[in-house]
Amino acid sequence: MKNEKRKGKLFVISGCSGVGKGTLLKVFLEKNPQIELSISATTRKPRPGEVDGVNYFFLTKEEFETAVKNNEFLEWAEFNGNFYGTKEAYVEKKLNEGKNVILEIETRGAFQIKEKKPDVVLIFILPPSLDELEHRLRGRNTEDEAAIQNRLHEAYRELECSKKYDYCIVNDDLNQAVKELEEVICS
Ligand code: 5GP
């Protein structure tokens, strides 16, 4: 029998802005350090505390466009006026090492990946309610009203897309949501 290393599995996690994806993923990854979270490239400016090569690879628009032209992205999309993308070589290297990889990306990118890699598992994180989502978005206090309205508009569009995902997890009780994520990813 050939001694081939098992290839890792690919998971996509999406969810509207303000749904608590970040905290959910943080707790999940602390409990499951064998799972890799992919680092995306973006043209968005770093927020306070964000570090290049840790949270994102922060690129200029020109650098991003060159990478698009060179077909370096497994998927990419424009979101809220900024570009975001997943470098194919980065993800393939981890999968070839046998690692299970999570991409935390928005819905257009998720569907591009499903086209290219039908085995990918798409997971959508839902808010307990739309009121709660708006409350959480406003509670962040990092953006002006126009930006919040934009994010809400995107959130409603993304909620529609959740119907095409393989799994939906409601992030109401954090521990319960982590447990459900483990059931999908680790079993
Ligand atoms: P934020 O600017 O709040 O970090 O992210 C905005 C949105 O971009 C989120 O919905 C996040 O999931 C998405 N995103 C982050 N990285 C990528 C990526 O590589 N590709 C795509 N398509 N979306 C991404």
Side-chain angles (χ1 to χ4, degrees), residues 13-17 21 38-42 44-45 47 50 56 64 73 75-80 82-87 103-110 112 140 143 151 158:
I13 295 189
S14 305
C16 325
S17 174
K21 264 175 311 180
S38 167
I39 303 171
S40 297
T42 185
R44 167 166 81 58
K45 296 277 169 288
R47 294 194 187 115
E50 284 186 333
Y56 280 105
F64 198 97
F73 288 116
E75 62 74 36
W76 66 272
E78 189 176 353
F79 186 89
N80 266 341
N82 296 303
F83 294 102
Y84 296 83
T86 308
K87 289 273 180 90
L103 308 181
E104 194 261 277
I105 66 175
E106 52 71 66
T107 49
R108 296 182 196 95
Q112 287 174 44
R140 268 188 181 178
E143 287 168 325
R151 285 199 180 255
E158 293 220 301

Side-chain angles (χ1 to χ4, degrees), residues 12-131:
V12 162
I13 295 189
S14 305
C16 325
S17 174
V19 80
K21 264 175 311 180
T23 310
L24 174 58
L25 269 172
K26 188 167 171 279
V27 176
F28 171 83
L29 290 167
E30 275 165 10
K31 286 182 76 184
N32 299 280
Q34 76 285 6
I35 313 272
E36 288 269 338
L37 180 65
S38 167
I39 303 171
S40 297
T42 185
T43 59
R44 167 166 81 58
K45 296 277 169 288
R47 294 194 187 115
E50 284 186 333
V51 177
D52 186 42
V54 176
N55 304 93
Y56 280 105
F57 296 108
F58 293 100
L59 304 184
T60 63
K61 200 157 177 250
E62 291 69 35
E63 287 169 333
F64 198 97
E65 281 167 357
T66 304
V68 170
K69 270 192 208 128
N70 293 340
N71 262 326
E72 288 176 36
F73 288 116
L74 183 57
E75 62 74 36
W76 66 272
E78 189 176 353
F79 186 89
N80 266 341
N82 296 303
F83 294 102
Y84 296 83
T86 308
K87 289 273 180 90
E88 184 155 22
Y90 176 93
V91 170
E92 283 305 325
K93 181 168 176 288
K94 302 218 178 279
L95 293 175
N96 287 332
E97 286 166 1
K99 291 178 178 149
N100 292 341
V101 179
I102 295 177
L103 308 181
E104 194 261 277
I105 66 175
E106 52 71 66
T107 49
R108 296 182 196 95
F111 296 138
Q112 287 174 44
I113 296 196
K114 194 74 170 177
E115 285 269 303
K116 287 190 186 167
K117 293 177 165 282
D119 285 350
V120 66
V121 178
L122 303 186
I123 306 164
F124 199 92
I125 312 299
L126 289 168
S129 70
L130 287 180
D131 282 353

